[in-house]
């Protein structure tokens, strides 16, 4: 349909970016980006008319989209409203090809109309800069000026132009590099990684919402610990999540050491992630030991203690959510409760944790945390899960 309407309007159109990457990787994809040499809005409206679906136009940006009708994973103040009416189930975004130039103090570029090459030049990574032609003369042809296909094969994240310029122009791309590496299980090419280390302070000009958006995608990846290790080695963790970095390191007194709570937390995060895709459960795992540095004491008789760290950790959750611009709603209270219970309820559900099962259990337990904790301590298996539920209901 897009190809037909583009031909009727006499504009050239290409599928570009993440959809092309995911198509080659055989990864499911939720959005399709179309770039055309001409007005993206006119093309979107023509496609919307033919498919009989609504079109949302962003006049100021010169873009338009056919909305998917899906709720976003995490609703923030910047989330677009979900329109009523028929939708495609996919979000299709249309934009005219553009050329961008940047000033040093802002992420907002100066935008001009451009060619397909200009548009590919402004992309963040080689694997995100590939296009597929929707035009009659070369329909289906891959347009890959920076070797993105080869980088997919080599499992490498690399910037199309000089990494220092790419990251200086838009420092959010440093987070995106680590996010894509974590989601795809790729390496970051050494020059690209070195540039992140060098430019890390530039992240300060990026809004916290966007940083957290990328962080959440790292947390939702198959093995989130990899992303946190990359953030640590790049020197970005200090800026975006200093409380987590405080967990790092082992102190030894009189020959007695404690475990490194940073790596321990990442291990727990991976373990929980193997069993659940729920973002908030994963956040609880990440925060479950967060108050250990503040409660750490050395007792010559018993060694290291962290008395009361669960309660203090739960108290720190709202502050961390506020700082990260995460929603201060029932999701936060769920995380707080799990931190206070030190994730023990997770032991209740031995198989894949459907978040609803756990949530139900916590809601049923209400404020009778004592009872829930005692039950959890007994390391209840799924076999007597029903009995536990009944007990909690009573
Ligand atoms: P996902 O949908 O999983 O987030 P994606 O690659 O589709 O992956 P988007 O953020 O939707 O990511 O961006 C779509 C495309 O737009 C990217 O593939 C990339 O080509 C380009 N892009 C997005 N953000 C940037 C950026 N900050 N700098 C340069 N190019 C970007």
């Amino acid at each position: 349909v897009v190809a037909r309407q583009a031909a009727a309007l006499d504009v050239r159109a290409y599928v570009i970016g993440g959809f092309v990457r995911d198509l080659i990787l055989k990864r499911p994809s939720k959005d399709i980006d179309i770039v055309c040499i001409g007005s993206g809005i006119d093309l979107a409206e023509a496609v919307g008319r033919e498919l009989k679906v609504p079109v949302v136009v962003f006049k100021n940006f010169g873009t338009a989209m056919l909305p998917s009708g899906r709720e976003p994973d995490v609703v923030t103040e910047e989330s677009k409203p979900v329109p009523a009416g028929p939708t495609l189930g996919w979000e299709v975004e249309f934009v005219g090809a553009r050329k961008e130039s940047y000033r040093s103090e802002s992420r907002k570029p100066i935008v001009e109309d451009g060619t397909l090459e200009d548009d590919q030049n402004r992309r963040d990574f080689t694997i995100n800069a590939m296009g597929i032609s929707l035009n009659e003369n070369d329909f289906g042809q891959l347009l890959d000026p920076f070797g993105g296909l080869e980088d997919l094969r080599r499992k490498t994240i690399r910037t199309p132009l000089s990494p220092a310029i790419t990251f200086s122009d838009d420092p959010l791309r440093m987070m995106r590099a680590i996010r894509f590496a974590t989601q795809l299980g790729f390496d970051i090419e050494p020059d690209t990684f070195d540039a992140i280390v060098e430019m890390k302070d530039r992240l300060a000009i990026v809004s916290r919402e966007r940083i957290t958006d990328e962080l959440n995608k790292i947390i939702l990846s198959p093995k989130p610990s990899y992303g946190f290790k990359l953030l640590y080695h790049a020197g970005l963790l200090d800026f975006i999540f200093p409380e987590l970095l405080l967990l790092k390191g082992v102190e030894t007194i009189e020959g007695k050491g404690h475990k490194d709570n940073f790596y321990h937390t990442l291990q727990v995060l991976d373990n929980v992630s193997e069993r659940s895709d729920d973002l908030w459960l994963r956040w609880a795992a990440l925060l479950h030991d967060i108050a250990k540095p503040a409660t750490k004491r050395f007792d010559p008789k018993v060694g290291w203690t962290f008395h009361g760290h669960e309660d203090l950790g739960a108290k720190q959750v709202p502050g961390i959510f506020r700082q990260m611009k995460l929603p201060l709603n029932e999701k936060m209270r769920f995380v707080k409760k799990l931190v206070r219970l030190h994730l023990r309820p997770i032991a209740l559900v031995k198989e894949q944790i459907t978040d609803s099962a756990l949530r139900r259990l916590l809601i049923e337990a209400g404020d009778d945390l004592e009872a829930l904790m005692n039950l959890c301590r007994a390391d209840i298996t799924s076999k007597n899960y029903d009995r536990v539920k009944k007990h909690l209901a009573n």
Side-chain angles (χ1 to χ4, degrees):
V1 175
V2 176
R4 189 164 50 241
Q5 291 299 340
L9 290 171
D10 198 24
V11 294
R12 297 184 68 77
Y14 306 85
V15 185
I16 196 137
F19 183 83
V20 177
R21 175 200 69 220
D22 290 339
L23 186 72
I24 296 168
L25 289 174
K26 300 193 172 69
R27 229 174 141 242
S29 190
K30 286 185 267 181
D31 309 328
I32 307 177
D33 290 318
I34 308 283
V35 81
C36 66
I37 317 303
S39 163
I41 296 177
D42 290 351
L43 181 57
E45 283 178 338
V47 171
R49 262 194 308 275
E50 180 172 341
L51 292 174
K52 298 191 173 54
V53 291
V55 179
V56 181
V57 174
F58 303 97
K59 266 230 169 77
N60 294 347
F61 297 102
T63 66
M65 66 153 176
L66 313 183
S68 69
R70 274 181 281 111
E71 284 281 353
D73 296 339
V74 182
V75 180
T76 64
E77 282 171 14
E78 292 190 355
S79 301
K80 299 166 201 149
V82 179
T87 57
L88 299 173
W90 294 76
E91 183 173 294
V92 190
E93 186 147 353
F94 294 80
V95 57
R98 49 167 100 162
K99 189 175 172 176
E100 291 181 348
S101 43
Y102 288 83
R103 292 149 298 159
S104 62
E105 74 285 5
S106 166
R107 274 194 70 223
K108 287 218 174 71
I110 299 164
V111 178
E112 307 161 64
D113 290 345
T115 61
L116 175 69
E117 289 71 36
D118 290 330
D119 204 274
Q120 287 177 302
N121 280 339
R122 74 176 179 87
R123 304 271 157 180
D124 46 6
F125 306 112
T126 60
I127 60 167
N128 286 346
M130 292 182 282
I132 295 176
S133 167
L134 297 176
N135 308 298
E136 223 162 37
N137 65 328
D138 57 355
F139 187 91
Q141 189 180 325
L142 183 72
L143 298 143
D144 177 20
F146 305 111
L149 192 60
E150 179 59 15
D151 283 343
L152 281 182
R153 203 188 55 74
R154 284 194 303 212
K155 294 178 175 273
T156 298
I157 305 294
R158 190 164 59 87
T159 57
L161 307 174
S162 133
I165 294 173
T166 301
F167 294 136
S168 169
D169 281 351
D170 177 1
L172 180 68
R173 293 169 181 162
M174 299 190 281
M175 288 295 295
R176 287 174 59 89
I178 292 177
R179 184 258 281 199
F180 284 115
T182 314
Q183 284 180 322
L184 302 173
F186 280 23
D187 284 330
I188 300 177
E189 181 262 337
D191 285 347
T192 301
F193 191 79
D194 288 349
I196 298 179
V197 174
E198 209 163 292
M199 316 289 301
K200 61 177 186 296
D201 295 341
R202 296 267 304 151
L203 199 62
I205 69 162
V206 178
S207 78
R208 184 48 83 155
E209 285 83 352
R210 289 189 193 267
I211 295 176
T212 296
D213 218 31
E214 296 300 327
L215 191 65
N216 280 338
K217 289 181 181 177
I218 292 172
I219 294 172
L220 284 170
S221 297
K223 195 170 181 228
S225 65
Y226 178 50
F228 281 96
K229 286 175 191 168
L230 287 173
L231 287 172
Y232 165 66
H233 288 293
L236 288 171
L237 199 59
D238 193 20
F239 175 69
I240 63 174
F241 201 167
E243 297 84 351
L244 192 65
L245 197 56
L246 286 179
L247 295 176
K248 199 168 172 306
V250 178
E251 208 175 323
T252 307
I253 295 183
E254 294 172 10
K256 286 181 185 160
H258 55 78
K259 64 185 167 202
D260 184 314
N261 287 304
F262 175 68
Y263 291 110
H264 163 73
T265 292
L266 296 187
Q267 177 78 56
V268 172
L269 175 61
D270 280 352
N271 290 347
V272 167
S273 302
E274 276 170 25
R275 300 175 54 203
S276 171
D277 291 333
D278 185 70
L279 176 65
W280 307 109
L281 213 50
R282 292 181 179 202
W283 261 106
L286 197 56
L287 296 178
H288 83 286
D289 269 351
I290 206 70
K292 276 200 165 169
T295 53
K296 187 164 96 171
R297 302 278 177 277
F298 183 77
D299 177 335
K301 286 198 198 98
V302 292
W304 293 100
T305 65
F306 303 90
H307 287 308
H309 82 89
E310 295 97 332
D311 282 347
L312 185 65
K315 284 200 190 107
Q316 287 183 2
V317 169
I320 291 173
F321 266 53
R322 205 167 296 123
Q323 168 196 321
M324 297 278 179
K325 301 264 194 266
L326 286 164
L328 303 173
N329 56 14
E330 82 283 358
K331 310 284 188 200
M332 181 198 78
R333 288 189 286 279
F334 173 71
V335 171
K336 209 172 151 181
K337 207 164 191 180
L338 278 174
V339 171
R340 183 158 70 232
L341 295 170
H342 213 49
L343 308 179
R344 288 187 190 95
I346 292 176
L348 285 170
V349 190
K350 286 279 179 191
E351 325 73 45
Q352 200 73 9
I353 310 169
T354 59
D355 127 67
S356 57
L358 187 58
R359 226 165 272 208
R360 222 176 335 114
L361 196 68
L362 285 172
I363 290 165
E364 281 167 14
D367 283 332
D368 189 3
L369 301 180
E370 197 65 31
L372 183 61
M373 273 179 73
N374 286 335
L375 287 162
C376 297
R377 277 208 192 94
D379 193 23
I380 282 145
T381 63
S382 56
K383 256 194 257 153
N384 44 17
Y385 175 73
D386 284 342
R387 192 178 59 73
V388 173
K389 249 181 66 183
K390 220 178 277 166
H391 175 93
L392 290 171
N394 291 334

